């Protein structure tokens, strides 16, 4: 019982504290015409599938949603309820943002405002790279890094292909195709509170003392014999 107790058995806590302002992830989905337009809108379908995988893979981290084309809009504040985001993502279509153009600088600026004052946070751009090479986008990416916000990117194939050079110029921590976002999910899982064992420990209920206390039962029997 002592050995088992010292091994640190634990169970996840249903009432674990949520650090919504220190461990948030924002998804910025590119809904410009090059991604969401066209008869098949395959780029939009890939963006929706990638967002769903990210939400499922980041269980325990608050996730928020930004939609952008020429302008950027906060669709959902960071939340740990995946159904809120899944319902929003499922109804996206080419008419969600009918404005022309692709302006990732606006999405990054909005993300900086939503995550202002945070100690740990990440932004994931899901885009075909349209507008990523603009000076304004490069400047906003630098501001995010200076604020301690991690920048990641998932690439989509738009009507004009994918501007990998533009996305790479933003210097994301990791770049992966939206059709296979596992590398980004793994990287995000190792960032934030996962790197702080003291804070991560708050998500579990330590059973070690209870198990170790079972070692007292044989001692109680021995005390009775001596009496």
């Amino acid at each position: 019982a002592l050995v088992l107790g010292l091994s640190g058995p634990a169970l996840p806590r249903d009432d674990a504290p949520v650090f919504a302002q220190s461990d948030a992830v924002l998804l910025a989905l590119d809904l410009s015409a090059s991604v969401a337009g066209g008869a098949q809108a395959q780029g939009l379908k890939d963006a929706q599938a990638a967002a769903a995988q990210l939400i499922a893979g980041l269980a325990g981290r608050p996730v928020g949603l930004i939609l952008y084309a020429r302008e950027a809009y906060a669709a959902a504040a960071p939340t740990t309820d995946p159904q809120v985001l899944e319902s929003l993502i499922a109804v996206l279509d080419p008419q969600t943002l009918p404005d022309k153009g692709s302006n990732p600088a606006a999405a990054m600026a909005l993300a900086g405002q939503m995550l202002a004052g945070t100690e740990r946070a990440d932004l994931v751009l899901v885009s075909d790279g349209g507008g990523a090479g603009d000076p304004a986008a490069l400047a906003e990416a630098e501001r995010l890094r200076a604020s301690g916000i991690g920048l990641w990117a998932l690439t989509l194939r738009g009507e004009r292909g994918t501007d990998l050079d533009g996305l790479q110029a933003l210097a994301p921590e990791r770049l992966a195709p939206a059709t296979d976002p596992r590398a980004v999910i793994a990287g995000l899982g190792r960032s934030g509170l996962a790197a702080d064992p003291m804070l991560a420990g708050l998500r579990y209920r330590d059973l070690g003392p209870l198990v170790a206390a079972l070692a007292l039962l044989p001692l109680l029997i021995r005390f009775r014999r001596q009496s």
Side-chain angles (χ1 to χ4, degrees), residues 1-14:
L2 286 173
V3 171
L4 183 60
L6 292 173
S7 68
L11 292 175
R13 293 177 53 179
D14 295 331

Side-chain angles (χ1 to χ4, degrees), residues 5 34 38 51 54-55 57 78 105 108 154 157 168 179 184 192 197 216 221:
S34 63
L54 280 166
I55 294 168
M108 288 187 283
L154 292 176
R157 182 169 181 80
Q168 194 66 58
T179 53
V184 168
L216 294 175
I221 297 174

Side-chain angles (χ1 to χ4, degrees), residues 7-204:
S7 68
L11 292 175
R13 293 177 53 179
D14 295 331
D15 59 344
V18 175
F19 299 88
Q21 296 303 317
S22 62
D23 200 30
V25 177
L26 286 180
L27 307 182
L29 301 189
D30 183 352
L31 295 186
S32 61
S34 63
V35 171
Q40 300 299 323
Q42 186 60 46
L44 175 58
K45 295 177 183 177
D46 290 342
Q48 289 171 307
Q53 291 184 63
L54 280 166
I55 294 168
L58 296 176
R61 292 191 70 178
V63 180
L65 181 64
I66 291 174
L67 307 177
Y68 77 94
R70 182 168 54 87
E71 302 291 339
Y73 306 90
T79 175
T80 55
D81 185 355
Q83 294 182 351
V84 173
L85 298 176
E86 289 169 356
S87 61
L88 287 172
I89 292 169
V91 299
L92 297 177
D93 60 37
Q95 300 305 314
T96 301
L97 295 183
D99 52 339
K100 304 294 184 181
S102 180
N103 187 8
M108 288 187 283
L110 178 57
Q113 296 173 17
M114 294 175 67
L115 299 173
T118 59
E119 296 181 1
R120 298 180 181 89
D122 296 283
L123 171 66
V124 182
L125 280 177
V126 186
S127 170
D128 65 348
D134 294 344
L138 297 175
E140 290 297 339
E142 183 61 32
R143 288 193 187 96
L144 290 179
R145 284 191 293 272
S147 300
I149 299 172
L151 179 61
W152 311 72
L154 292 176
T155 62
L156 298 169
R157 182 169 181 80
E159 290 184 341
R160 296 184 295 275
T162 306
D163 185 2
L164 289 175
D165 292 337
L167 287 170
Q168 194 66 58
L170 298 177
E173 298 191 35
R174 188 159 298 174
L175 192 72
T179 53
D180 187 11
R182 289 175 294 179
V184 168
I185 293 174
L188 288 168
R190 288 192 294 269
S191 65
L193 293 181
D196 192 327
M198 293 186 64
L199 294 177
L202 295 176
R203 296 176 177 171
Y204 297 90

